Amino acid sequence: MVPRTDALTREVVDLIAAVVARYHEEYEEAAAKHALTGAQAKVLALLAREPLPMRRIAQRLKCEPSNVTGIVDRLEARGLVERGPDPDDRRVKLAAATPAGRETADRLAESLNFAREPLAALSADERGVLRDLLQRMLGPGEA
């Protein structure tokens, strides 16, 4: 017999779902303002942090590498991403944000207002506790 979920756990799960839904909605709107799809914006944000092989992008986005190829193709056509050999393994191609891509990713991140005000209402200690709890829920290496 499967144990029933307690009311507090259900409430927390519902709140997390509401936060995720609001985040995705705003992310899609912000991406559209930069003429990007949500998926393109997410790939660009990843590549603005560091160059990555296609397989790693797919792993981080939890999708198929073939999907990532099309996304990177479109970003490359706009001059936001470029591909090049991995200096450590020339058989592997890395995708990386161009200077224009990093600038676009920065503008996109600045236009995401969701949670800024609610998070600002929390003390630094409270934000740290929230971060630590979220990281613990995700597990090591997931954030």
Side-chain angles (χ1 to χ4, degrees), residues 27-28 31 35-47 54 57-83 95-97:
Y27 202 91
E28 291 290 332
L36 297 168
T37 65
Q40 289 170 339
K42 288 173 187 168
V43 169
L44 186 58
L46 283 175
L47 296 178
M54 305 296 241
I57 297 168
Q59 289 169 341
R60 295 228 181 128
L61 295 180
K62 304 204 182 330
C63 69
E64 292 297 316
S66 59
N67 293 344
V68 172
T69 299
I71 293 167
V72 171
D73 286 347
R74 289 185 284 286
L75 291 170
E76 191 172 36
R78 290 188 49 194
L80 301 175
V81 167
E82 60 191 358
R83 292 184 182 122

Side-chain angles (χ1 to χ4, degrees), residues 15-47:
L15 288 168
I16 290 171
V19 167
V20 168
R22 284 179 58 190
Y23 173 80
H24 281 296
E25 183 179 306
E26 181 171 318
Y27 202 91
E28 291 290 332
E29 289 173 11
K33 288 178 186 172
H34 297 279
L36 297 168
T37 65
Q40 289 170 339
K42 288 173 187 168
V43 169
L44 186 58
L46 283 175
L47 296 178

